[in-house]
Amino acid sequence: MTEVTGGIEMEEDTSGKIKKFLYINRKAPYGTIYALESLEVVLIAAAFDQDVSLAFLDDGVYQIIKGQHTRTIDVKNFSPTYRALEGYDIEKLYVEKESMEVRGLKEEDFIVPVKVISTQEMADLMESQDVVLSF
């Protein structure tokens, strides 16, 4: 059975099979709702026992940097929420190496442990998923 939810056509899975979901984060953490919406959707998917992975590319790498101060822009700093992902069994977090390096970041700049992978490895990761959602 095919279902359309939020403009996304999905096949209903009645077998109970766990699907592999990859959420790609490409936007800076503030100024749009993409980062916060992605985080909320990731937590929902994990609550349904799906195999969830997160990838950070382009300006999305800024979502997980340490030391975010949002008081001057008058929005809540939601970056500490990324530390809670492990409690939801979300432990597969990937950062594209090229996005990280172009922005002058290092692996130790991130608030959570990540696996840094190349652009080609990121493409391979996307290819191996059942569902890929980009925010």
Side-chain angles (χ1 to χ4, degrees):
M1 176 179 196
T2 301
E3 178 181 340
V4 177
T5 304
I8 300 171
E9 192 171 301
M10 302 177 72
E11 288 195 29
E12 183 177 338
D13 183 9
T14 58
S15 67
K17 177 186 173 200
I18 295 174
K19 290 194 172 195
K20 295 169 73 174
F21 284 80
L22 175 64
Y23 296 89
I24 299 172
N25 298 284
R26 294 179 180 271
K27 306 287 185 188
Y30 306 103
T32 68
I33 62 168
Y34 291 106
L36 184 57
E37 290 290 319
S38 170
L39 188 55
E40 290 178 356
V41 171
V42 164
L43 293 172
I44 291 168
F48 286 97
D49 295 326
Q50 298 301 306
D51 183 357
V52 175
S53 300
L54 272 82
F56 299 90
L57 293 79
D58 304 327
D59 285 343
V61 297
Y62 291 124
Q63 293 180 24
I64 54 171
I65 60 169
K66 296 176 184 171
Q68 296 182 31
H69 302 284
T70 60
R71 183 173 295 169
T72 57
I73 58 173
D74 199 28
V75 295
K76 183 177 180 180
N77 177 1
F78 60 87
S79 65
T81 307
Y82 289 104
R83 286 193 216 120
L85 293 176
E86 188 176 4
Y88 291 85
D89 294 328
I90 302 170
E91 299 172 343
K92 292 181 280 185
L93 285 79
Y94 302 92
V95 168
E96 183 191 47
K97 182 178 180 184
E98 290 78 1
S99 295
M100 181 182 77
E101 290 178 347
V102 163
R103 287 156 183 83
L105 298 172
K106 298 176 290 237
E107 195 170 336
E108 54 267 21
D109 293 327
F110 300 123
I111 196 168
V112 288
V114 298
K115 182 175 183 181
V116 178
I117 61 176
S118 70
T119 300
Q120 182 57 53
E121 290 170 319
M122 187 66 73
D124 294 342
L125 176 65
M126 290 179 196
E127 187 65 32
S128 70
Q129 302 297 306
D130 295 313
V131 179
V132 177
L133 298 170
S134 184
F135 290 86

